[in-house]
Amino acid sequence: KTIVLFGEKGAGKSSLVNLMADKEVAHTCPDMQCCTMQWKEHTINFGGDSYMVFDTIGLAEPQLKMNEYLESVENAYRLIKELDTRGGIDLLLFCVRAGRVNTTLQSNYRLFHEFLCEKKVPIVLAITNLEREKRMEDWWERNHGIFEKYQIQVAGHACVTAANGLDGRHRDLYEELRDTIRKLVQQFTTDEQKQAWIGGNNLFVSLMRKLKELLPEGQHVRKKDLVPRLTKRCGVSLDVAKQLANMIRQDIG
């Protein structure tokens, strides 16, 4: 089963992977240069199933700079190709740090749920950084309206702390929360949940067209910038690269 885990840098994605795996399989790299749609793969096993988690970097700001857009071209092309070979996406897992519900969050939601998955894949929310809450679900009860304000709709959620090695009640709580996030994942990755996600070049073109909406007004994507990204970095033939670049540059009709 294939899970695309996404969220802003610092949201706690690596810790969430380790919580699900019940061991350290993902390492945080605070100094790593972040590029939108860049990813790392982790294989985790629980409940008799194996999960391939694509730990993916989302947007750092509500808008994209042109150089970030061009970097995302390469990452998005490779990601879609890799997901295609795995048979598509079973689940989107949106990792959100408590207190950071803003327009960037909305842009990330649209990037993955709407642009990448065309609303065909179930999406669930994991809210992190809730160590100070006596009852973590209280946070959701107080704040779920904010997600509705930003038009973020999810099929399910889990309130967690992904920090391990804590003393007192948190040690027992860690195991409880591990089971909570695992049950959420299992619930929405059953065979009956499998959606008709289709990748390929058409989805890639659609994704890059829609991503143009996040560029500052007046900025235009140039064919001469797109083609080298696709030929030199993605191994696409020159003819196909030109065709894809032309399609991306067309306005959505």
Side-chain angles (χ1 to χ4, degrees):
K1 299 183 188 296
T2 303
I3 300 169
V4 172
L5 167 66
F6 70 99
E8 290 180 63
K9 182 183 177 183
K13 297 191 302 298
S14 297
S15 297
L16 190 63
V17 171
N18 294 335
L19 177 66
M20 286 190 289
D22 200 24
K23 59 183 178 181
E24 190 167 342
V25 295
H27 305 281
T28 53
C29 302
D31 300 325
M32 186 182 77
Q33 185 182 3
C34 291
C35 300
T36 302
M37 305 297 283
Q38 199 174 35
W39 81 94
K40 293 179 288 189
E41 294 175 44
H42 307 288
T43 303
I44 60 177
N45 300 286
F46 59 84
D49 284 311
S50 181
Y51 299 87
M52 177 59 71
V53 180
F54 285 75
D55 180 355
T56 315
I57 295 172
L59 300 163
E61 296 174 5
Q63 282 193 314
L64 275 175
K65 298 182 179 72
M66 181 57 74
N67 66 317
E68 292 170 333
Y69 176 89
L70 292 171
E71 284 172 355
S72 74
V73 168
E74 176 190 348
N75 292 326
Y77 185 85
R78 291 176 183 274
L79 179 63
I80 289 169
K81 288 288 181 192
E82 187 62 34
L83 289 168
D84 266 345
T85 65
R86 305 298 171 100
I89 306 170
D90 293 283
L91 181 67
L92 286 171
L93 181 54
F94 190 5
C95 185
V96 175
R97 187 178 173 89
R100 282 195 191 172
V101 185
N102 50 31
T103 50
T104 303
L105 216 63
Q106 185 184 43
S107 293
N108 273 315
Y109 173 80
R110 292 189 68 207
L111 169 59
F112 286 88
H113 186 236
E114 187 181 323
F115 298 174
L116 178 64
C117 293
E118 300 175 314
K119 301 181 180 179
K120 293 177 180 175
V121 176
I123 178 169
V124 295
L125 201 59
I127 300 119
T128 64
N129 196 41
L130 293 173
E131 292 84 4
R132 292 175 185 84
E133 293 283 338
K134 285 185 178 178
R135 179 177 170 269
M136 294 187 184
E137 192 63 23
D138 288 347
W139 188 93
W140 177 256
E141 290 171 7
R142 293 196 310 270
N143 293 282
H144 68 87
I146 302 172
F147 292 91
E148 293 169 13
K149 174 188 169 186
Y150 286 105
Q151 298 176 306
I152 296 171
Q153 297 177 324
V154 293
H157 73 276
C159 295
V160 301
T161 171
N164 198 0
L166 299 169
D167 56 10
R169 67 185 180 89
H170 282 113
R171 193 176 298 152
D172 296 332
L173 191 57
Y174 184 85
E175 295 181 5
E176 182 185 322
L177 297 175
R178 176 199 63 208
D179 293 341
T180 299
I181 192 69
R182 284 179 171 184
K183 283 174 185 172
L184 184 69
V185 166
Q186 287 172 318
Q187 181 184 351
F188 290 99
T189 54
T190 59
D191 292 336
E192 294 78 25
Q193 291 278 345
K194 190 75 173 179
Q195 302 291 314
W197 184 88
I198 300 169
N201 285 346
N202 286 340
L203 178 73
F204 168 68
V205 168
S206 170
L207 171 65
M208 298 320 300
R209 275 183 178 179
K210 290 171 182 171
L211 262 182
K212 288 193 296 181
E213 296 175 23
L214 302 180
L215 287 169
E217 199 171 339
Q219 293 230 3
H220 301 287
V221 180
R222 299 182 300 183
K223 182 177 176 180
K224 70 175 187 179
D225 293 326
L226 287 171
V227 171
R229 294 266 173 184
L230 293 167
T231 54
K232 292 176 183 175
R233 302 201 188 179
C234 300
V236 178
S237 71
L238 184 59
D239 286 345
V240 173
K242 286 179 178 178
Q243 185 183 8
L244 292 173
N246 283 331
M247 290 167 72
I248 289 169
R249 290 181 67 249
Q250 288 171 6
D251 291 328
I252 304 166

